[in-house]
Structures are given as C-alpha cells and as structure tokens.
Amino acid sequence: MQHSQRGFTLLELVAAMAIFALLSVMAYGGLNALIRSEESLESSYARLQSWQMAVQRLRQDLSQSRSRPIRDQFGDLQPAFYEPEDGRVEFTRGGRPNPLGLPRANLERVAYFLDTDGRLMRLSWRNLDRGQSDEPLRLPLLEDIDSLGWRFLDEEGEWLEDWPPARAAVLPPDQQPLPDAVELLISSQWLGELRLLFTTRADL
C-alpha cells in the first residue's frame, strides 16, 4: 500500500504562521484587557475603602463633640466648635484613645479642611491649649476633591451657613453652643456631589 505524502507549500506555511500570530495577538489582547480590568477594580475598591474610612472618621469625631473651648497659639480663647474660615471646621472631641493609661485628658482638638492639592485633611493637636511651637498631626483622608462646604443645625432646627450663629456672637467663647448636627457637602472627581449628615451627639 502506498501513502501519498507531500510537504507544506510556502503559501500554506505563511498562512499558518499568520493565523498563529493573529491568535497570539488576540490572546495577548484578552490577557491585557483582563489585567487592566483587575487593576481598575482594585483601584475602585481602594477608593471605596478610603471613602468609608473617611466618613467613619468624620462620624466618630463629630459625634464626640464636647463643649470645651481652647486657647490657640496666640493665647486667644476659641469656641469649642467653630468655622474659622469657609470650608474649615475646628472643634474639641472626646473619646481620645489612651491605651497606655497616660495622665492626660481624653479630649482632642481636631480640624477638617480642603488643602490646595484637593485633599480632605484632618488636623489634630496633642494639647488642647496650644503653644506657639505646637504643630498639628496632618492626616490626608481623601484625594481629588473639588470642593466642600459645611452647614450647621442649631437648637431651633434651622440650618446655618456659619458657626457659631450670629446671635451667639455676643457670648464669650466658653459659652457658645455646639450645633446639633453638621452637614458636609462634598464634590469629588470620582463620586460627584454628596451630602453627608453627622450628629454631634454620640447618643443619637
């Protein structure tokens, strides 16, 4: 019995190589797309975690607001809770962790504001009454923030753009009230515009 045998022609060989190259490119493209998709998911998950942690930090701080005024680095008495400038709030909070049982108060002075790089920043001071050499601990919480603004709910149920209220301006700083709630309007490149509501009382 005879078997017919023939070799590949040059045209068939070139066609086979072209098909193999096309399949390789398709496989690489699919793998590359899969890698990019995985990286995008990881980036989105990391952003989501950052937002969750930032909101939780805000909630913890604001819910522990305390009526304890402070003296700034110039020795001037400042209210327990106030907005020294647009977009920035500063207040005294309780519940400061003290795992080593050090002889210090459980109160802490904190501030939130948007820096020039578009980051939501949290500042905290070791001492409530600051000296001129006291520098705050700076903690960036969120990036790519376009704008932020605050509103404050007073005891009469009215939302105000500034705090303390104008009617409390005649009171000394150690008698000015806390807001009942705080609203943060924040706009980001990732999530757009959000309204976040926080109570200033831990029991609510």
Side-chain angles (χ1 to χ4, degrees), residues 8-73:
F8 287 107
T9 67
L10 179 60
L11 182 61
E12 291 173 331
L13 185 59
V14 169
M17 292 178 63
I19 292 173
F20 177 77
L22 178 61
L23 292 175
S24 298
V25 169
M26 292 174 62
Y28 176 78
L31 178 61
N32 195 36
L34 182 62
I35 292 174
R36 288 199 305 270
S37 176
E38 184 176 355
E39 289 176 347
S40 178
L41 286 174
E42 289 179 353
S43 176
S44 297
Y45 180 68
R47 284 176 177 265
L48 181 60
Q49 278 191 315
S50 296
W51 275 85
Q52 289 175 332
M53 293 175 63
V55 172
Q56 180 64 14
R57 177 62 66 90
L58 279 159
R59 179 177 293 110
Q60 289 175 346
D61 283 346
L62 288 165
S63 68
Q64 296 284 347
S65 298
R66 296 291 185 268
S67 297
R68 202 298 198 169
I70 62 104
R71 291 195 180 275
D72 62 20
Q73 63 269 32

Side-chain angles (χ1 to χ4, degrees), residues 43 45-46 49 68 92 109 117 132 137 147 149 158 195:
S43 176
Y45 180 68
Q49 278 191 315
R68 202 298 198 169
T92 303
R109 191 69 172 184
D117 295 322
Q132 292 190 1
L137 175 65
S147 64
E158 181 181 358
R195 288 183 181 273

